[in-house]
């Protein structure tokens, strides 16, 4: 993967549009990304990551969406990242725009535009770009597939953060496992562990559930069998459970079948006795029923005899009602005619009561004629109505003209008063603008002076600190030199003592018969003896090691002194001769003055805006003054025309109104009069018609009553029965006749009369005997059913227990197999000697690859001294961890990476980051990474070490690979010519690029 070009707009600290030409930077192989703290160096790397994956790295992921937008950008500029790169032989261009709260095109407020993405590919044949996709998901899948790594892997492999790997060196096995698990995607092995554990728990639960079910069935069988079954105290999983349950169940089933046979015999005898008792009860109940039936018939016959007179009267009433039904139609017509006449007379009286007294006694024809005359007069008022409406419009228009005239007069007076003080106001506002502009110019001059003053003050403080450090370092050099001289003198003294007693040391190795190493003699009559102060080889070697350590400490002290002296010289060159107190006073005065003039300059925008608003107000006042004058001139002619039209209309309306207040009032009077006269005429005609119909109905009713045999129509009406009364009377007659026939039929029954002659039946005694027989049957049936249920339940539970045992056998075998595999993968099995989990085992292999790849570069950076090795020794609770050790070639010892010093940790972390990049790249499918970034950590290196590290980094650009270093170290700016500088400013940061030429 090679980066070519990066375009940043309104992103992070970059308020405008910035461009990075990686082709120019990569031409030198090694380039530097530098700038002050907070300027936006990391934002450049964030933009690369956001273009590829749609999100930023690590802890900065919370700043997604609209939070990525620069606070320095204008409201009309949208945030956009465009990255051009080559990956897998394809040249691609990725453009991403995060969500944007933009101003609305119409009205006030903002609206949210959704995030957008574009992916294009360069077609070399057509020499043009072609669109591939605008889908966030498709672009993400395409880029991830081409790069072969996730965002986390990319951030660790391409954007190498030194601090993360320094922590990785000092972390424990668990923390290392989490980082390696994310990079190498070993969660599938953890899933295998989890699935095995879940299967083990599931199988164990099934086995325990089977044992519990079997034991539960045994207790149910014991409850069903009662005292016929006994079980020992057993628990799920104990041996012999199945045999004990099945044996006890067989005994219980045999006993239950014997009890069932006995119950069957008892039930048969009880049922025979019950049948005889029920037959006797039925005979007694029948005799009792017939005796009560005869007694009730005699009582009903007596009641009928008492109601005979009422029956004959009802018959006569029914006959008279049948005759009156012939007169009923005439009576109904007469009643309807009378009701209609009363309504018509009442309506006529109401209508005549609303008329004037002169028309109250007029006939229907006279009222109709008067109504026609009023309607004709009403029709003649239409023209007058329109004239009256027009007059009202004229009055309203004249009032509106008067209101406009008063309003224009107010406008003219207000405009003249405001324009009178215009020149004085404009001069005051102009003076405010000029003062603010002068303050802004002064603020810009002071802003240029602030940064040099701050730098000189910071350099002076560093100079003071470096001076103290130099004094301390000089004292440490003197002390280390003294210790080294004393250690060397001590070693030389020990060495001389050993040489003086070397004869005794050689004599200790002599053996009779073996030649002497010095003289060759085989006999040793008087070998030298060791005296009390003899010094051996081990003592001399310890003294030599102490002398060498003292020399190393002296060299380190001299190195620190040299570094402090160079830093002091650089700080003195930048700070000058002035004291820190003087520079602090100057910087403070400069800041106070800058704050003062900046406060004055901040009013420039307000003063300018006030002047512009005042000028716009003056133009508005002049325009309003002219428009009011024009309107005043045009109103006079319109007022005269309205006055002439009003005079004409008033003369016409005076004639049309008559005595009324207005034409509308006169028209309303005529409309009411016409309506009243018309209604009175209609009601008078209706009253005359209904009176004649009533007279005809009276004659027809009298004739019909006479023919039906009634003296008067009123007598016929009194004899009529309504439907309900007629139905009730007929029902009483029918009921009396039916009751008489039923009583005669019952008294004529032979069996009923015979039963009446017999003694009274004792039903209670027969029912008690039948109930006793039924109770005995129920008790026998209950005993038989209980025995049958006991047999069925025991058979069912026995069958289910046998089936459960057959099903449980393979489940137990599976549980044993899965439990062994789960314990082995989780590192808890005795077969797992190192107690290493499956995922840890895979990660240990990856860590071993990373350590081997990192060692290649670490040996070069440390001049062959250090080697990284992986260790799978057990750590904590008896399990193997992800150990990482460093081998020191100078001492030949192996130690944990957490014991490395600061400079050594930088070597190891940089080598580890580069080694991890190689391994992850191979793991991701071998995608070539032609552009790498290394973040910070160079400030702790001396010149020689920095040269060695830069040589290693320079070797990474083999085959056109480029490496970008993100650092504050000033010495790197002199060593690395290709640079990308981030410059911080009040309006946002900008990028300055310099090639390697």
């Amino acid at each position: 993967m090679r980066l070519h070009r990066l375009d940043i707009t309104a992103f992070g600290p970059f308020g405008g549009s910035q461009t990075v030409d990686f082709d120019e930077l990569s031409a030198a192989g090694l380039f530097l990304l530098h700038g002050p703290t907070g300027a936006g160096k990391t934002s450049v790397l964030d933009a690369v990551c956001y273009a590829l994956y749609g999100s930023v790295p690590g802890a900065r992921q919370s700043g997604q969406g609209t939070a990525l937008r620069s606070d320095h950008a204008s409201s009309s500029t949208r945030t956009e990242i465009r990255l051009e790169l080559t990956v897998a032989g394809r040249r691609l261009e990725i453009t991403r725009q995060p969500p944007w709260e933009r101003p609305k095109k119409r009205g006030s407020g903002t609206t949210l535009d959704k995030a957008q993405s574009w992916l294009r590919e360069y077609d070399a044949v057509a020499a043009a770009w072609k669109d591939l996709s605008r889908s966030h998901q498709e672009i993400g899948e395409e880029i991830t597939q081409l790069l072969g790594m996730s965002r986390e892997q990319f951030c660790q492999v391409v954007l190498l953060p030194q601090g993360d790997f320094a922590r990785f060196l000092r972390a424990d096995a668990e923390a290392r496992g989490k980082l390696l698990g994310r990079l190498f995607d070993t969660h599938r092995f953890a899933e295998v562990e989890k699935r095995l554990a879940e299967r083990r728990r599931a199988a164990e639960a099934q086995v325990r559930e089977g044992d519990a079910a079997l034991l539960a069935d045994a207790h149910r069988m014991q409850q069903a069998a009662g005292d016929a079954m006994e079980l020992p105290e057993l628990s799920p999983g104990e041996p012999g459970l199945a045999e004990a349950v099945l044996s006890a169940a067989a005994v219980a089933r045999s006993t239950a079948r014997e009890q069932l046979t006995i119950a069957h015999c008892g039930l048969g005898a009880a049922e025979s006795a019950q049948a005889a008792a029920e037959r006797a009860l039925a005979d007694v109940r029948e005799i009792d029923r017939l005796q009560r039936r005869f007694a009730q018939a005699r009582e009903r016959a007596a009641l009928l005899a008492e109601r005979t007179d009422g029956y004959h009267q009802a018959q006569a009433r029914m006959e008279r009602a049948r005759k009156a039904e012939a007169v009923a139609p005439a009576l109904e017509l007469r009643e309807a005619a009378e009701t209609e006449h009363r309504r018509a007379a009442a309506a006529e009286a109401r209508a005549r009561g609303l008329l004037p007294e002169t028309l109250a006694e007029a006939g229907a024809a006279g009222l109709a004629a008067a109504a026609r005359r009023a309607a004709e007069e009403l029709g003649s008022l239409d023209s007058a109505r329109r004239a009256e409406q027009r007059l009202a419009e004229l009055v309203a228009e004249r009032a509106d003209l008067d209101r406009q005239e008063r309003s224009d007069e107010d406008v003219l007076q207000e405009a003249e008063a405001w324009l009178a003080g215009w020149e004085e106001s404009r001069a005051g506002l102009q003076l405010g603008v000029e003062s603010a502009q002068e303050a802004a110019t002064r603020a810009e001059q002071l802003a240029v002076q602030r940064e040099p003053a701050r730098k000189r003050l910071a350099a002076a403080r560093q100079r003071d600190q470096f001076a103290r450090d130099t004094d301390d370092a000089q004292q440490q050099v003197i002390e280390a030199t003294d210790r080294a001289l004393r250690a060397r003198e001590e070693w030389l003294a020990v060495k001389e003592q050993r040489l003086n007693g070397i004869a005794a040391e050689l004599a200790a190795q002599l053996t009779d018969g073996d030649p002497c190493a010095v003289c060759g003699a085989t006999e040793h009559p008087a070998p030298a003896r060791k005296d009390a102060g003899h010094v051996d080889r081990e003592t001399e070697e310890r003294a030599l090691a102490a002398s060498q350590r003292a020399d190393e400490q002296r060299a380190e002290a001299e190195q620190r002194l040299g570094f402090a002296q160079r830093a002091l010289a650089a700080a003195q060159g930048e700070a000058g001769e002035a004291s820190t107190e003087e520079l602090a006073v100057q910087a403070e005065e400069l800041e106070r003055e800058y704050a003062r003039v900046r406060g004055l300059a901040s009013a420039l925008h307000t003063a300018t805006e006030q002047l512009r608003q005042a000028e716009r107000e003056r133009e508005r006042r002049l325009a309003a003054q002219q428009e009011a004058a024009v309107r005043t001139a045009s109103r006079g002619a319109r007022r005269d025309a309205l006055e002439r039209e009003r005079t004409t209309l008033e003369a016409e309306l005076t004639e049309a109104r008559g005595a009324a207040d207005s034409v509308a009032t006169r028209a309303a009077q005529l409309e009411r009069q016409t309506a009243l006269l018309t209604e009175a005429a209609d009601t008078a005609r209706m009253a005359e018609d209904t009176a004649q119909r009533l007279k005809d109905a009276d004659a027809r009713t009298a004739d019909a009553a006479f023919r039906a045999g009634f003296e008067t129509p009123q007598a016929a009406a009194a004899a009529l029965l309504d439907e309900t009364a007629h139905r009730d009377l007929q029902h009483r007659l029918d009921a009396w006749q039916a009751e008489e026939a039923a009583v005669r039929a019952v008294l004529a029954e032979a069996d009923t009369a015979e039963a009446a002659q017999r003694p009274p039946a004792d039903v209670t005694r027969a029912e008690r005997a039948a109930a006793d027989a039924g109770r005995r049957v129920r008790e026998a049936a209950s005993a038989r059913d209980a025995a049958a249920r006991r047999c069925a339940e025991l058979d069912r539970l026995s069958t289910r227990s046998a089936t459960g045992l057959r099903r449980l056998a393979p489940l137990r075998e599976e549980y044993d197999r899965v439990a062994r595999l789960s314990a082995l993968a989780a590192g808890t099995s005795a077969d797992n000697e190192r107690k290493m989990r499956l995922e840890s085992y895979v990660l240990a292999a990856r860590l071993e690859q990373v350590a081997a790849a990192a060692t290649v570069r670490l040996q070069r950076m440390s001049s062959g001294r250090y080697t990284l090795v992986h260790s799978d020794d057990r750590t904590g609770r008896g399990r193997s961890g992800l150990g990482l050790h460093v081998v020191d070639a100078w001492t030949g010892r192996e130690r944990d990476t957490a014991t490395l010093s600061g400079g050594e940790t930088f070597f190891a972390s940089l080598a580890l980051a580069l080694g991890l990049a190689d391994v992850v790249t191979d793991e991701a499918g071998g995608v070539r990474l032609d552009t790498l970034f290394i973040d910070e950590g160079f400030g702790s290196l001396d010149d020689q070490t920095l040269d060695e590290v830069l040589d290693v980094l320079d070797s990474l650009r083999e085959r056109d690979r480029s490496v970008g270093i993100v650092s504050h170290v000033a010495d790197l700016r002199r060593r690395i010519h290709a640079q990308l500088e981030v410059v911080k400013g009040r309006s946002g940061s900008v990028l300055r690029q310099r090639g390697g030429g």
Side-chain angles (χ1 to χ4, degrees):
M1 181 200 73
R2 175 176 291 278
L3 305 180
H4 298 293
R5 179 185 177 91
L6 175 66
D7 295 321
I8 305 174
T9 302
F11 180 85
F14 304 105
S17 296
Q18 305 294 323
T19 299
V20 181
D21 187 352
F22 284 108
D23 287 338
E24 180 183 358
L25 293 173
S26 300
L30 197 64
F31 62 91
L32 177 66
L33 174 58
H34 67 94
T37 301
K41 299 186 297 299
T42 306
S43 295
V44 176
L45 308 183
D46 289 348
V48 174
C49 186
Y50 185 77
L52 292 173
Y53 294 95
S55 60
V56 296
R60 298 185 295 278
Q61 294 182 40
S62 58
Q64 298 293 329
T66 56
L68 295 175
R69 180 173 175 79
S70 175
D71 296 333
H72 301 286
S74 65
S75 60
S76 60
T77 303
R78 178 158 190 174
T79 303
E80 180 180 277
I81 303 296
R82 180 181 290 109
L83 177 64
E84 186 179 337
L85 73 159
T86 296
V87 58
R90 300 170 60 185
R91 185 150 183 158
L92 304 175
E93 181 189 77
I94 309 170
T95 303
R96 293 191 187 270
Q97 294 178 347
W100 180 34
E101 285 279 354
R102 64 167 178 82
K104 293 183 177 179
K105 296 180 179 179
R106 295 181 180 177
S108 60
T110 61
T111 184
L112 180 64
D113 281 353
K114 296 182 178 179
Q116 299 187 31
S117 300
W118 292 270
L119 177 62
R120 300 197 303 170
E121 182 175 4
Y122 185 75
D123 189 347
V125 177
W129 291 93
K130 62 178 181 180
D131 294 333
L132 296 182
S133 176
R134 295 192 64 174
S135 168
H136 301 299
Q137 183 176 1
E138 290 180 359
I139 295 174
E141 292 176 354
E142 180 73 13
I143 295 302
T144 301
Q145 183 176 1
L146 289 175
L147 292 177
M149 61 186 76
S150 63
R151 185 196 64 204
E152 290 77 7
Q153 290 175 317
F154 177 84
C155 294
Q156 294 288 349
V157 172
V158 179
L159 312 177
L160 303 178
Q162 289 303 104
D164 289 352
F165 287 98
R167 286 190 294 274
F168 181 83
L169 289 172
R170 296 186 175 92
D172 56 11
E174 182 179 0
R176 289 173 181 163
K178 291 181 180 179
L179 174 61
L180 293 174
R182 292 197 306 269
L183 295 176
F184 292 107
D185 191 20
T186 58
H187 68 279
R188 59 187 182 276
F189 299 102
E191 285 296 321
V192 170
E193 298 176 23
K194 181 179 178 182
R195 290 293 298 276
L196 286 174
E198 291 175 352
R199 288 189 59 184
R200 177 188 61 77
R201 288 192 295 270
E204 182 181 6
Q206 289 178 339
V207 171
R208 288 184 176 276
E209 183 180 357
D211 285 346
L214 180 61
L215 189 57
D217 286 342
H219 288 294
R220 293 189 185 96
M221 286 188 285
Q222 187 178 31
Q223 292 175 357
D227 297 334
M229 181 176 179
E230 295 183 359
L231 285 176
E233 293 294 331
L234 297 174
S235 300
E238 292 187 16
L241 175 63
E243 292 77 6
V245 170
L246 294 179
S247 176
V251 174
R253 287 200 305 273
S254 177
T255 304
R257 289 191 182 95
E258 293 176 359
Q259 294 174 353
L260 179 60
T261 302
I262 296 173
H264 270 298
C265 296
L267 177 61
E271 287 176 346
S272 299
Q274 182 188 26
E278 289 179 349
R279 285 193 298 271
L281 176 62
D283 294 341
V284 172
R285 283 176 175 172
E286 180 62 18
I287 293 172
D288 180 69
R289 184 185 70 80
L290 293 175
Q291 290 175 347
R292 285 187 287 104
R293 178 178 175 82
F294 185 82
Q296 291 173 356
R298 295 292 296 271
E299 292 176 359
R300 290 163 62 189
L303 291 175
L304 285 174
E306 294 175 359
R307 294 200 301 269
T308 302
D309 294 339
Y311 171 71
H312 293 306
Q313 292 176 0
Q315 280 184 325
R317 180 76 177 89
M318 179 63 73
E319 182 63 23
R320 187 173 176 81
R322 290 195 186 98
K323 293 179 180 179
E325 288 177 357
V327 189
L331 290 173
E332 291 177 356
L333 291 175
R334 196 269 175 191
E335 184 178 0
E338 185 180 9
T339 301
E340 186 178 3
H341 177 65
R342 283 197 302 269
R343 284 199 299 267
E348 180 186 10
R350 287 193 301 272
R352 286 183 179 276
L354 298 175
L355 295 178
E357 294 181 359
T358 56
L359 297 174
E361 301 298 331
L367 293 173
R372 285 194 298 272
R373 290 193 298 271
E376 291 173 356
E377 185 178 357
L378 177 63
S380 65
L381 292 179
D382 290 342
S383 175
R385 287 178 178 177
R386 291 192 295 272
E388 188 175 46
Q389 182 178 4
R390 176 57 184 162
L391 181 61
E393 293 175 355
L394 292 177
V395 173
E397 187 174 356
R398 176 62 183 270
D400 186 57
L401 289 176
D402 293 341
R403 285 193 300 272
Q404 292 178 4
E405 184 174 6
R406 289 192 298 271
S407 177
D408 288 342
E409 288 177 356
D410 293 340
V411 170
L412 290 172
Q413 292 176 0
E414 184 179 358
E416 290 176 358
W418 191 90
L419 292 172
W422 160 246
E423 292 299 332
E424 183 178 355
S425 298
R426 186 185 64 80
L429 294 173
Q430 185 65 37
L431 180 61
V433 171
E434 293 173 355
S435 300
Q437 287 176 341
E438 292 176 358
T441 302
R442 176 59 178 162
E444 292 178 357
Q445 295 173 353
L446 293 175
V448 175
Q449 300 173 10
R450 289 169 66 219
E451 189 62 26
R454 290 176 179 174
K455 290 183 177 179
R456 289 190 63 193
L457 177 59
R461 289 170 177 167
Q462 290 180 348
R463 177 194 62 193
D464 297 344
Q465 181 62 42
F466 288 150
R468 291 190 294 271
D469 294 345
T470 301
D471 295 340
D472 294 341
Q474 287 177 345
Q475 182 62 33
Q476 292 174 3
V477 168
I478 294 172
E479 294 174 355
T481 302
D482 292 341
R483 287 194 297 272
L485 291 176
R486 287 195 300 271
R488 183 172 180 80
E489 291 174 355
E490 184 178 353
W491 169 62
L492 292 175
V494 170
K495 183 177 182 180
E496 184 176 359
Q497 290 179 11
R498 180 169 177 258
L499 292 176
N500 292 335
I502 195 66
E505 185 174 342
L506 292 174
Q509 302 174 0
L510 295 177
T511 304
D512 292 339
D514 293 336
C516 176
V518 179
C519 65
T522 58
E523 295 182 359
H524 317 293
R529 304 294 181 184
K530 294 181 180 180
D531 55 15
H534 179 74
V535 177
D536 55 9
R537 178 186 294 274
E538 185 178 355
T539 303
E540 181 188 0
E541 289 177 351
R542 285 199 302 269
L544 176 60
S547 176
Q548 290 175 345
R549 284 197 300 272
D551 285 338
E552 292 176 358
Q553 293 173 357
R554 177 186 55 78
E556 291 177 358
E558 291 175 349
Q559 186 178 9
R560 288 194 295 270
L561 176 59
F563 175 78
Q565 289 173 342
R566 289 192 296 273
L568 176 61
Q572 287 176 341
E574 188 171 355
E577 298 299 329
S579 65
T580 303
E581 290 75 11
E582 293 174 354
L583 294 176
V585 171
Q586 294 174 3
E588 184 177 358
E589 291 178 353
L590 185 61
E591 289 293 337
R592 283 198 301 270
E593 179 64 15
Y594 175 72
R596 186 185 67 80
V597 298
R598 187 180 180 185
L600 296 176
S602 63
L604 175 60
H605 176 74
T606 302
T608 306
E609 185 63 25
Q610 289 177 350
L611 179 59
R612 282 199 296 267
Q613 290 179 356
E615 291 174 346
R616 288 195 295 269
E617 181 65 16
R618 176 176 176 273
E619 294 175 357
R620 188 185 68 79
R621 298 276 184 170
L622 290 174
Q625 189 179 38
Q626 294 174 357
E627 292 173 358
V630 172
R631 289 195 299 270
T632 300
S634 63
R635 273 194 299 270
R638 181 58 181 166
R639 188 183 291 107
D640 295 340
L642 293 177
E643 187 64 26
R644 289 192 297 271
E645 186 176 1
R646 185 181 66 81
T647 301
T648 303
L649 292 175
E650 286 180 347
E652 180 181 353
L653 291 174
T654 300
E655 181 179 356
R657 283 195 299 265
D661 295 338
S662 63
V663 175
T665 303
R666 179 57 180 162
Q669 293 174 354
L670 291 174
E671 288 175 354
R672 176 173 176 77
Q673 183 178 357
T674 301
L676 294 175
L677 289 172
T678 301
E679 182 180 3
D682 293 340
T683 56
R685 284 193 296 272
M686 179 63 69
E688 293 174 356
D689 294 342
T690 57
Q692 183 60 39
R693 286 195 293 273
L694 178 60
K695 184 178 180 181
D696 296 340
D698 285 339
R700 288 193 296 271
T701 302
D703 183 61
F706 177 77
R707 285 197 299 271
F710 294 98
E711 295 180 358
T712 62
Q714 289 77 15
L720 282 173
L721 293 174
D722 58 19
E723 182 178 358
T724 301
H726 185 278
R727 185 170 58 252
D728 292 342
L729 183 59
Q730 184 65 48
H731 178 70
R732 289 198 301 272
L733 292 172
D734 295 342
W736 195 92
Q737 294 172 357
E739 179 69 7
E740 184 184 20
V743 169
R744 285 198 302 268
V746 171
L747 293 176
E749 294 175 354
D751 55 350
T752 303
E754 181 184 359
Q757 302 300 321
R758 299 177 66 177
D762 191 353
V763 178
T764 303
R765 181 178 179 182
E767 288 178 346
R768 188 162 50 250
D772 292 340
R775 177 177 52 77
R776 287 191 293 272
V777 169
R778 288 193 298 273
E779 291 175 353
S782 176
R784 191 274 316 271
D785 293 341
R789 286 194 300 272
R790 186 178 300 111
C791 290
E793 182 68 7
L794 289 173
D795 291 341
R796 183 183 67 83
L797 293 174
S798 297
T799 303
R800 190 168 73 176
S801 298
T803 303
L805 287 174
R806 288 193 298 271
R807 186 180 66 253
L808 191 60
L811 290 177
R812 189 179 301 279
E813 294 177 359
E814 181 183 0
Y815 165 69
D816 294 338
R817 183 174 61 258
V818 173
R820 288 194 301 271
L821 287 175
S822 177
L824 186 63
T828 58
S829 172
D831 296 334
N832 192 332
E833 297 179 357
R834 295 188 177 277
K835 304 299 181 182
M836 185 179 290
R837 294 171 51 241
L838 178 60
E839 184 182 16
S840 299
Y841 178 77
V842 176
L843 292 177
R846 292 290 186 268
L847 182 58
E848 190 171 3
Q849 295 175 355
V850 172
T855 296
V856 176
R857 295 184 173 87
L858 180 59
Q859 287 182 339
R860 182 172 179 181
M861 283 187 280
S862 63
S863 299
R865 179 178 179 181
Y866 293 118
T867 300
L868 284 174
V869 294
H870 164 254
S871 173
D872 55 5
D873 293 338
R874 295 183 182 180
T875 58
R877 295 185 297 179
R879 294 198 180 189
S880 298
L882 298 173
L884 191 63
H885 292 175
V886 61
V887 178
D888 190 344
W890 289 6
T891 62
R893 295 182 178 180
E894 179 179 330
R895 53 195 172 101
D896 193 274
T897 54
T899 62
L900 292 173
S901 64
E904 294 169 343
T905 299
F906 174 79
F907 287 150
S909 61
L910 177 58
L912 190 65
L914 296 174
L916 182 63
D918 292 340
V919 175
V920 173
T921 300
D922 295 339
E923 180 75 12
V927 177
R928 177 175 171 79
L929 302 176
D930 295 316
T931 305
L932 297 175
F933 294 90
I934 301 176
D935 189 2
E936 281 302 347
F938 295 88
S940 61
L941 307 180
D942 55 33
D943 292 343
Q944 180 180 354
T945 306
L946 185 60
D947 289 336
E948 294 174 351
V949 172
L950 291 179
D951 289 340
V952 172
L953 296 178
D954 194 55
S955 67
L956 296 178
R957 62 177 179 174
E958 297 172 358
R959 293 178 295 175
D960 296 331
R961 173 180 285 183
S962 61
V963 179
I965 297 177
V966 183
S967 178
H968 297 87
V969 178
D971 195 34
L972 289 175
R973 301 178 204 169
R974 295 189 296 270
R975 297 169 181 260
I976 302 175
H977 301 289
Q979 298 180 9
L980 178 63
E981 182 181 5
V982 185
V983 182
K984 181 168 62 175
R986 294 176 59 186
S987 59
S989 298
V990 296
L991 297 175
R992 294 177 183 173
Q993 183 170 330
R994 186 177 68 182

